Amino acid sequence: MSNVLMITVSSVIVFLIAVLATRSMSMRPGGMQNFLEWVVDFVKGIIGSTMDWHTGGRFLALGLTLIMYIFVANMLGLPFAVVVDHNLWWKSPTADPTITLTLAVMVVVLSHYYGVRMKGFKEYGAEFFKPMKFLFPLKIIEEFANTLTLGLRLYGNIFAGEMLLALLAGLGTSGIFQGVFALLPMMVWQGFSIFVGAIQAFIFTMLTMVYLAHKVSHDH
């Protein structure tokens, strides 16, 4: 249930950001609209670096949703954690492998769907036997490996960051001297965790576009 709670909180925050940024659009953007347009241009740059815009333009909404959702999810567990009856309720949802692997499976399945849709089943299926037929088992293994690495990379980085924050918080609450000693490292690590969370959101979105480009482009 904690996962359901934090997924819902992340989704609501992303939805509110999108609504607030687009409720009063103007030709001279400012504030939230300016921020959202910057994010859109950033995602366009990611797509443009992996495939041509004619092919990749359809994935703009997907990339925009992923980068905003994962960034917000990565940030939720940084300020504080809420534990009730020894159960962690408030945390980053991406610090749970169930969430990150679900996102990874979604991305990989979506890449296969668009590959079949844009190339046809026959042409797309033939890609698994190129350049040599005996490589087919390795191609299947590669799909599973891509799913695992995409999900576990995000989980490992966020989970490790929150574990260290929890250790520092435990040290800080064990006494006055320990609290003073732990304050600076905790502030530094929180700042670094913001950077890591942003980088991981970028990497996940970039690899999503790479996988999609690999499946839908005729030259990769």
Side-chain angles (χ1 to χ4, degrees), residues 95-200:
D96 190 302
T98 306
I99 306 302
T100 58
L101 286 172
T102 300
L103 288 171
V105 169
M106 179 198 73
V107 165
V108 172
V109 169
L110 198 61
S111 70
H112 289 299
Y113 166 76
Y114 274 104
V116 173
R117 180 179 175 182
M118 297 178 69
K119 290 184 175 180
F121 184 81
K122 184 177 181 179
E123 181 183 351
Y124 180 71
E127 296 286 343
F128 286 86
F129 298 92
K130 295 178 181 179
M132 300 176 186
K133 291 184 178 181
F134 72 86
L135 293 177
F136 174 74
L138 295 180
K139 294 290 185 75
I140 299 301
I141 294 173
E142 180 186 15
E143 296 302 319
F144 285 102
N146 287 341
T147 306
L148 285 174
T149 55
L150 185 63
L152 294 180
R153 180 189 298 107
L154 176 59
Y155 157 70
N157 280 276
I158 304 307
F159 178 76
E162 293 198 359
M163 282 296 97
L164 185 55
L165 281 175
L167 290 173
L168 290 171
L171 176 64
T173 56
S174 60
I176 297 177
F177 176 77
Q178 292 88 338
V180 174
F181 179 76
L183 180 60
L184 181 60
M186 181 177 290
M187 293 176 63
V188 171
W189 188 254
Q190 281 189 323
F192 181 70
S193 294
I194 294 173
F195 171 74
V196 170
I199 289 295
Q200 290 304 314

Side-chain angles (χ1 to χ4, degrees), residues 63-84:
L64 185 63
T65 303
L66 280 176
I67 199 167
M68 291 181 65
Y69 178 81
I70 293 174
F71 176 76
V72 169
N74 291 347
M75 296 299 108
L76 288 181
L78 292 183
F80 56 87
V82 177
V83 180
V84 180

